[in-house]
Amino acid sequence: MLIKKIVWTLCVVFLISPSFAQEEVVGDIVIRGLTNISETVVRNVIRTKEGQVFQQSQLARDRQALESLGVFQDVKVYGVFLNETRTWRVIVEVVEWPLVREVRISGNTLIPEEKIRSVLKIKTGEIFKPIYLEEDAYAITKLYRDSGYIGRVVKYEPDESNPSVFVIEIVETRVREIEFQGLTRTKPSVIRKLMDTKEGDFFDQNKYDEDVLRIWETRWFDDLQPDTREPSLGQIDLIFNFKEARTGLFNVGASVDPKNRVIGFVSYSDSNFKGTGKAVSVNLSQSTQGLGTGVTLNYADKFIDNKRSSLDISLYSRPTFVFGASLLGGGDTELEENQFSQRKTGGSVTFSRPLQRRLRGFIGIKAENTETINFESEPGEEFLNQEGTVAALSMGFIRNRRDNPTDPALGDWAKILIEPSFSNITSVGGSTTGDPIIGENFFTRVSLDYRMYFSKGAKRTSRQLTEPRKVLAVRFYGGIVFGDTPFFEQFFAGGAYGVRGYPEDRFWGKKMLMTQIEYRYPVQQTISIIPFVDYGGAWDGYPGVNDFTQSKDIDLHLGYGVGVAVKTPLGPIRLDLGFDTKGKGRVYFQFGSVF
């Protein structure tokens, strides 16, 4: 019996003794190596607390938690058993990263130092964290990229002689070389005149994209593929791969013109004459309506100086219908029997110059004589038969912020035009009596043309200029004439370029407002379907003619329809079917886009 009690007692002691070992607690926590970080921060991070049961596995987790703060170069957490108190002392030994006393930035010339400092996570007076090195380097690179430049951090580390001073060295990329490949006719010097980017300049993505747009806008090339190459750090080569288009054209044939019906013509034009960038054209036309021969001579030089100032000169003598083919050919008026037309003979000279990257100013002068052909006016219609001379000074601004001038998907375009003018009407309806417009008069035309383009997605880059997109295009046009103006110098609305669905020049007057909306839906690379709505008109002008009544007060009209646009090497071709509010449809055919 005694032996059984002894064995039972030994078993109980054996089973209880490990529990005593597990109940050994943390007596105190000693933290060493702190300089800038407070002890409270460390104690709040570790899970080991004084008075708790000591756990070796928890010490490893505490070390990981302290390392994750990112403010220590080295962390050690271990326990020491104190026999005299039968408790554990937990010791935390740390080596802090230095306090940032100074951040030195060098190599930056394109981005101000203050802007670079604003994106840094490393701040003076705070503890350095290694993770910030990578994050700051990326932030600096992105700052350059968002500004259109290329800047790379090549050094970001503590100074060797002073670990609390951090050094950031930036290398900004310059253009080493510009290469033109595929040019067989166009002189490379002409392309360089179109570019703001020069060899030796810092690379500017925004400027480079503008250069590509400017080159593409010339329509001298069927294809343009820009590329880049970085031969070494801080250098970039710009490579342009061209496929030249046929810019010189000699044509003999016939065409449909809303202002001339069917005309036969012989023409020669070259928008890049002998690869010099100059444009010349000669056009001889003969109307099938017996209006005589038309002659037009044009000359344009885009580079009359090193600022890309341009000079455009035009001389002409050409017949044109006043109301165009729709009115005269559609059975809408008795004027069709009279073959009402005019011959305009004159010339113009226009000088323009870039004022900013997207803004151009211009000034020009035009002198033109108007003569009525084969028209006997009826009583009350004498104003239609005004003949005489008009001289006008034109001046204004064009702001072009479209992503692609020939096929815009984003951006806007605006033109402000002011035309102080002088007229001398010598004949009205065959007589010079009884009409107040006879003789010399001064008047001024003012107009605003604003166009906007919307599409999903970011702005197309220089490599995506011809990418088809669904585009909502909107145009607002307004104009007013101050003073007495000849009939043919009013604003006219209606037809292919006005309110579609109505005859050419259906509405006229000294005031005009018009809104046009198109949704350009590409069905393939070169063909688009375009539903459209037009709303506008002109008023406060001369009286009406037959059924073509006019209004003295604002009078706007609705037109709508659908069109097809086809991209060709000669430019876009449009075929529109428009309807008026009575459901009457008209077909319009023209080269180029409406807006």
Side-chain angles (χ1 to χ4, degrees), residues 474-588:
V474 182
R475 180 191 185 197
F476 300 101
Y477 183 89
I480 186 170
V481 177
F482 299 96
D484 292 327
T485 175
F487 174 75
F488 48 81
E489 288 294 319
Q490 297 178 109
F491 293 106
F492 289 87
Y497 301 101
V499 184
R500 286 162 287 188
Y502 297 86
E504 296 292 327
D505 304 332
R506 169 61 182 84
F507 311 103
W508 59 76
K510 295 167 64 176
K511 299 169 185 174
M512 179 176 173
L513 285 176
M514 180 176 64
T515 299
Q516 296 179 293
I517 301 175
E518 295 187 346
Y519 185 67
R520 300 168 183 175
Y521 186 94
V523 294
Q524 56 174 267
Q525 184 74 24
T526 58
I527 301 177
S528 296
I529 303 297
I530 308 174
F532 61 82
V533 175
D534 299 340
Y535 186 63
W539 67 95
D540 191 19
Y542 286 82
V545 178
N546 297 316
D547 293 335
F548 284 73
T549 58
Q550 306 298 316
S551 173
K552 294 297 292 182
D553 300 317
I554 184 171
D555 190 20
L556 305 181
H557 305 268
L558 177 68
Y560 58 94
V562 65
V564 177
V566 181
K567 297 178 184 177
T568 73
L570 301 178
I573 296 176
R574 281 286 296 264
L575 184 66
D576 291 340
L577 173 61
F579 297 89
D580 60 18
T581 53
K582 296 180 180 179
K584 185 172 184 179
R586 288 178 173 80
V587 176
Y588 306 95

Side-chain angles (χ1 to χ4, degrees), residues 362-364 393-397 416-420:
F362 63 88
I363 186 169
L393 176 69
S394 61
M395 48 191 174
F397 304 93
I416 298 175
L417 176 61
I418 303 173
E419 298 175 283

Side-chain angles (χ1 to χ4, degrees), residues 20 44 66 90 223 335 388 405 586:
F20 286 136
N44 288 338
L66 290 171
V90 174
D223 193 20
L335 291 176
R586 288 178 173 80

Side-chain angles (χ1 to χ4, degrees), residues 66-82:
L66 290 171
E67 288 176 343
S68 67
L69 290 177
V71 296
F72 301 118
Q73 298 183 54
D74 188 33
V75 178
K76 294 178 182 178
V77 182
Y78 57 93
V80 176
F81 185 71
L82 305 177

Side-chain angles (χ1 to χ4, degrees), residues 316 344-347 365-370 386-393 419-426 437 439 441-443 445 484-490:
Y316 52 87
K344 294 181 179 292
T345 302
I365 188 170
K366 178 184 77 171
E368 184 176 84
N369 183 71
T370 299
Q386 295 178 4
E387 297 182 347
T389 303
V390 173
L393 176 69
E419 298 175 283
S421 305
F422 167 80
S423 66
N424 184 16
I425 301 301
T426 58
I437 198 64
N441 285 278
F442 290 93
F443 63 95
R445 291 163 50 105
D484 292 327
T485 175
F487 174 75
F488 48 81
E489 288 294 319
Q490 297 178 109

Side-chain angles (χ1 to χ4, degrees), residues 310-551:
S310 66
L311 182 68
D312 293 83
I313 301 174
S314 180
L315 300 174
Y316 52 87
S317 178
R318 53 191 178 226
T320 178
F321 280 107
V322 175
F323 297 108
S326 295
L327 176 57
L328 299 175
D332 294 300
T333 175
E334 297 174 0
L335 291 176
E336 181 181 15
E337 300 176 358
N338 298 313
Q339 297 292 300
F340 179 40
S341 62
Q342 294 176 327
R343 175 174 291 275
K344 294 181 179 292
T345 302
S348 63
V349 178
T350 303
F351 170 83
S352 69
R353 168 174 288 184
L355 303 177
Q356 296 177 0
R357 181 176 293 183
R358 292 286 190 141
L359 182 66
R360 195 173 188 93
F362 63 88
I363 186 169
I365 188 170
K366 178 184 77 171
E368 184 176 84
N369 183 71
T370 299
E371 178 185 3
T372 302
I373 304 173
N374 302 325
F375 179 63
E376 296 294 334
S377 60
E378 298 293 334
E381 297 178 356
E382 292 86 356
F383 61 87
L384 294 174
N385 195 359
Q386 295 178 4
E387 297 182 347
T389 303
V390 173
L393 176 69
S394 61
M395 48 191 174
F397 304 93
I398 295 176
R399 188 186 67 184
N400 184 359
R401 300 190 298 192
R402 298 173 293 184
D403 63 338
N404 181 350
T406 60
D407 184 22
L410 287 171
D412 62 359
W413 181 94
K415 178 180 180 181
I416 298 175
L417 176 61
I418 303 173
E419 298 175 283
S421 305
F422 167 80
S423 66
N424 184 16
I425 301 301
T426 58
S427 175
V428 176
S431 172
T432 59
T433 61
D435 197 297
I437 198 64
I438 282 296
E440 300 178 353
N441 285 278
F442 290 93
F443 63 95
T444 300
R445 291 163 50 105
V446 180
S447 62
L448 170 64
D449 193 348
Y450 183 58
R451 308 169 185 185
M452 300 180 292
Y453 306 88
F454 307 91
S455 63
K456 291 183 178 180
K459 176 183 176 181
R460 292 181 293 187
T461 67
S462 54
R463 300 184 185 185
Q464 302 170 322
L465 294 180
T466 58
E467 172 190 75
R469 281 195 181 184
K470 301 171 186 177
V471 179
L472 177 66
V474 182
R475 180 191 185 197
F476 300 101
Y477 183 89
I480 186 170
V481 177
F482 299 96
D484 292 327
T485 175
F487 174 75
F488 48 81
E489 288 294 319
Q490 297 178 109
F491 293 106
F492 289 87
Y497 301 101
V499 184
R500 286 162 287 188
Y502 297 86
E504 296 292 327
D505 304 332
R506 169 61 182 84
F507 311 103
W508 59 76
K510 295 167 64 176
K511 299 169 185 174
M512 179 176 173
L513 285 176
M514 180 176 64
T515 299
Q516 296 179 293
I517 301 175
E518 295 187 346
Y519 185 67
R520 300 168 183 175
Y521 186 94
V523 294
Q524 56 174 267
Q525 184 74 24
T526 58
I527 301 177
S528 296
I529 303 297
I530 308 174
F532 61 82
V533 175
D534 299 340
Y535 186 63
W539 67 95
D540 191 19
Y542 286 82
V545 178
N546 297 316
D547 293 335
F548 284 73
T549 58
Q550 306 298 316
S551 173

